[in-house]
Amino acid sequence: MACPSLTRERSFGAPLSLLCATMPPRFAPPHRSTCSLWRRSVTSLSYVPLYQWIDGNKLSGDGRETSDVLNPFDGTVLGSMPHATEADLQAALESSQRAFKQWRKVPAWERSAIILKATNLIRERLEQFATILTLEVGKPLAEARMELNLTVESMVWAGEEAKRIYGRTVESRLPHGRAIISREPIGPVAAFAPWNVPALLTGRKIAAALAAGCSMIIKPSEETPATCLMIAEAFADAGLPAGVLNVVLGEPSMISKTLISSPIIRKVSFTGPTPVGKQLAALAAQQVTPVTMELGGHAPVIVCDDANIDAVLAFSVPNKYFNAGASCIAPTRFYVQDGVYDAFVEKFTAAASAIKVGNGLDPETRMGPLANGRRLQAMERLIADAVSHGGTITTGGKRIGDQGFLYEPTVLVNVPESAQIMNDEPFGPVAIISRFTNVEEAIEKANRLPFGLAAYAFTSTTARANLLADCLESGMVGINTYYFGMPEAPFGGVKQSGYGSENGTEGIDAYLVTKFANYA
Ligand code: NAD
């Protein structure tokens, strides 16, 4: 039942969920454009200057505080990120409000054209974008390219959807009356994007909001400001009017508090950890501002003994260690049926230990470093705790070197549910493999956490597939696949993994409100 083309994919570092969603390489050979970032040589590994981008102005210096952006491979400083001041944020809010009044009047086909032009520019600049992305996050260049292709697809989808925002009419109660239901842009949006997939998770927020006719102020993660600025520059070069998109950088809690508390902001979109999502949702509730929350997960994978184990492994290992495990939909808790458990553990361990870990810029690298020191500490804490609870490491379990944040691909077995790693999302390169006897028991284990973003199951029996798809409590369920990368389908979680969706028609809907106009 798995997509046959998946089995032919060559390397890992190319997660199957993304590969399947990514078109064949189609970016044009690099050529010069007016983009200041792009004027640098594509072979240059130098980082780019960082700035607040507010109302079309690039703001840095002038006594603003700064913090370092690090290369996670070796811990060296890539650049200096200026922090937004209160005055910067007020300027961004006022700019966003002004720009919204104009942008909402721009016809949908023109909004669409600007978004699609920005996607063409990202394609043209893809090689330099990918290098910057790898420098910031550490992921292998092949993964960075794939993420950018997926970002483009998601933005193209949103840009096209701008033309398909429909209202409806209902029968009036009066002989010559009209009853019209229309969809309108909700207003200026405050968006907060994380570091793990920084191009996709900024690009799809921006494109969907702009497609709907909203303006947006976006704050990328402190680890990945340049990736967001490159996307913003593509929009500027595509002709987006000043202020429709503002980028602010700096201290997350100060920025989120100021923006979300402002009555100018009419919508909040956040991707990141569940505890932060709860804080931001509470802030938004003070203004009765709607929010879309893409939060953490802890994805279970149920492997039944009737599945093709070699095919499951061929999908599972790349997906597990994609982005060094820092993916909210990463397969994490593997529940494997008795009959195939031993072989599964043995083969999984062998495949994980063969992964080449290193510099994402090295074409031989299949897994880069963790993105920051916080993840390194989290991995060390979670693995030690699992072992102290009786868990066994079958491979990995250690930091590599003492510079940067490299960590071994790790497999754990015999970990009890009381261990922290069975309850808190590791967001790192660790697979935890447990055994089960009957499917109902596995479903119960899979559903026991308060998360519900992604869940997976592998079986060749239709009745089991249906049971698993019906009973797994999750916003997304993959049956014999890890593939959720289609921009035409909604992406989102249930339970404490959040609410609302990105992508699909739902992703545009998130930036619209409904108006009923009744004519007598
Ligand atoms: P962290 O708590 O240090 O912060 C992570 C991100 O949240 C940063 O990008 C930061 O800018 C942002 N943030 C923190 N406080 C904020 C605030 N008050 N307002 C606005 N933004 C704020 O966590 P971490 O170590 O970087 O990441 C680990 C956890 O994050 C994982 O366990 C995972 O659950 C979650 N995460 C989820 C996603 C996702 O796609 N759903 C992405 C990234 C991280």
Side-chain angles (χ1 to χ4, degrees):
M1 287 163 79
C3 170
S5 65
L6 294 180
T7 56
R8 290 198 297 271
E9 292 301 348
R10 168 187 55 85
S11 82
F12 124 50
L16 303 169
S17 52
L18 294 187
L19 269 175
C20 216
T22 306
M23 298 271 199
R26 58 188 177 184
F27 44 90
H31 70 260
R32 284 184 177 278
S33 79
T34 53
C35 170
S36 59
L37 294 169
W38 184 244
R39 269 188 236 116
R40 291 159 180 264
S41 154
V42 290
T43 56
S44 162
L45 297 186
S46 56
Y47 199 55
V48 290
L50 301 171
Y51 50 83
Q52 319 287 322
W53 192 44
I54 298 172
D55 212 34
N57 300 310
K58 298 178 179 181
L59 306 175
S60 61
D62 292 332
R64 287 178 181 82
E65 269 183 48
T66 59
S67 55
D68 290 339
V69 180
L70 301 184
N71 180 338
F73 169 64
D74 56 11
T76 54
V77 175
L78 290 171
S80 176
M81 181 182 76
H83 289 204
T85 61
E86 282 289 349
D88 288 336
L89 297 178
Q90 289 311 322
L93 284 163
E94 284 160 25
S95 156
S96 202
Q97 188 177 38
R98 273 194 309 276
F100 173 62
K101 289 182 182 154
Q102 300 306 317
W103 182 245
R104 67 176 302 166
K105 293 187 215 151
V106 172
W109 280 68
E110 286 178 34
R111 297 200 304 270
S112 174
I114 289 175
I115 295 167
L116 297 181
K117 189 166 176 198
T119 65
N120 287 336
L121 293 174
I122 295 172
R123 279 191 196 115
E124 287 174 12
R125 301 166 185 176
L126 197 134
E127 279 306 296
Q128 186 179 9
F129 279 28
T131 303
I132 296 287
L133 214 172
T134 290
L135 285 172
E136 286 191 329
V137 189
K139 61 181 72 185
L141 262 180
E143 288 187 9
R145 291 189 188 104
M146 209 183 312
E147 179 183 336
L148 286 160
N149 277 314
L150 202 56
T151 305
V152 164
E153 280 197 357
S154 199
M155 292 170 64
V156 167
W157 166 264
E160 293 291 353
E161 281 298 287
K163 304 169 192 168
R164 290 185 276 272
I165 296 171
Y166 302 126
R168 69 187 200 276
T169 59
V170 294
E171 283 301 301
S172 171
R173 297 289 181 101
L174 300 169
H176 298 291
R178 299 276 185 281
I180 299 172
I181 294 151
S182 56
R183 306 285 284 144
E184 296 185 344
I186 191 168
V189 179
F192 304 88
W195 45 262
N196 59 331
V197 197
L200 179 63
L201 297 180
T202 49
R204 78 180 178 198
K205 285 187 198 302
I206 296 168
L210 268 48
C214 295
S215 56
M216 174 175 273
I217 305 173
I218 190 161
K219 185 199 82 64
S221 165
E222 310 80 274
E223 279 94 2
T224 54
T227 299
C228 180
L229 286 168
M230 288 189 298
I231 291 175
E233 285 214 27
F235 274 102
D237 293 344
L240 188 71
V244 177
L245 177 64
N246 291 316
V247 181
V248 293
L249 311 175
E251 216 285 297
S253 57
M254 183 275 240
I255 294 175
S256 58
K257 188 162 185 294
T258 305
L259 296 185
I260 298 173
S261 305
S262 167
I264 290 173
I265 293 301
R266 299 290 175 79
K267 166 85 193 183
V268 173
S269 176
F270 174 74
T271 303
T274 297
V276 178
K278 287 179 184 177
Q279 286 171 29
L280 302 195
L283 264 179
Q286 301 301 310
Q287 306 290 330
V288 198
T289 304
V291 295
T292 295
M293 289 280 161
E294 301 276 1
L295 307 177
H298 202 308
V301 185
I302 297 177
V303 182
C304 299
D305 55 12
D306 57 11
N308 175 340
I309 295 304
D310 288 330
V312 177
L313 284 159
F315 305 153
S316 299
V317 177
N319 276 282
K320 173 65 258 181
Y321 299 104
F322 162 69
N323 212 27
S327 162
C328 50
I329 57 170
T332 296
R333 291 174 292 143
F334 289 84
Y335 296 106
V336 183
Q337 205 159 13
D338 288 329
V340 290
Y341 175 83
D342 290 336
F344 189 88
V345 170
E346 188 188 326
K347 290 180 178 182
F348 201 113
T349 300
S353 59
I355 292 167
K356 184 169 183 317
V357 183
N359 187 345
L361 296 174
D362 176 349
E364 297 297 311
T365 293
R366 291 295 172 266
M367 190 182 96
L370 309 182
N372 53 51
R374 296 191 304 279
R375 291 327 304 153
L376 188 62
Q377 286 162 9
M379 283 298 290
E380 289 178 337
R381 181 172 39 80
L382 290 170
I383 302 289
D385 176 79
V387 171
S388 76
H389 278 79
T392 306
I393 298 169
T394 66
T395 187
K398 290 191 304 297
R399 181 181 184 179
I400 303 172
D402 56 6
Q403 287 183 324
F405 312 118
L406 293 168
Y407 198 88
E408 293 174 336
T410 300
V411 178
L412 286 172
V413 296
N414 303 325
V415 183
E417 285 178 350
S418 55
Q420 209 183 344
I421 203 165
M422 292 300 276
N423 300 282
D424 294 351
E425 182 181 29
F427 223 60
V430 55
I432 313 143
I433 310 181
S434 310
R435 66 164 78 229
F436 73 88
T437 302
N438 63 61
V439 173
E440 288 71 17
E441 172 202 349
I443 291 170
E444 202 171 310
K445 286 173 192 270
N447 288 342
R448 62 171 269 278
L449 294 185
F451 304 109
L453 187 57
Y456 309 95
F458 292 85
T459 176
S460 59
T461 312
T462 305
R464 273 186 174 175
N466 292 341
L467 178 76
L468 287 156
D470 288 348
C471 296
L472 286 169
E473 294 171 359
S474 189
M476 295 172 283
V477 177
I479 302 293
N480 293 330
T481 183
Y482 288 108
Y483 172 35
F484 296 134
M486 308 136 78
E488 62 273 34
F491 185 105
V494 297
K495 296 160 77 176
Q496 292 193 24
S497 291
Y499 39 82
S501 301
E502 295 193 294
N503 281 345
T505 50
E506 292 85 350
I508 308 289
D509 241 37
Y511 296 104
L512 297 169
V513 285
T514 300
K515 181 180 275 177
F516 168 41
N518 199 14
Y519 296 53

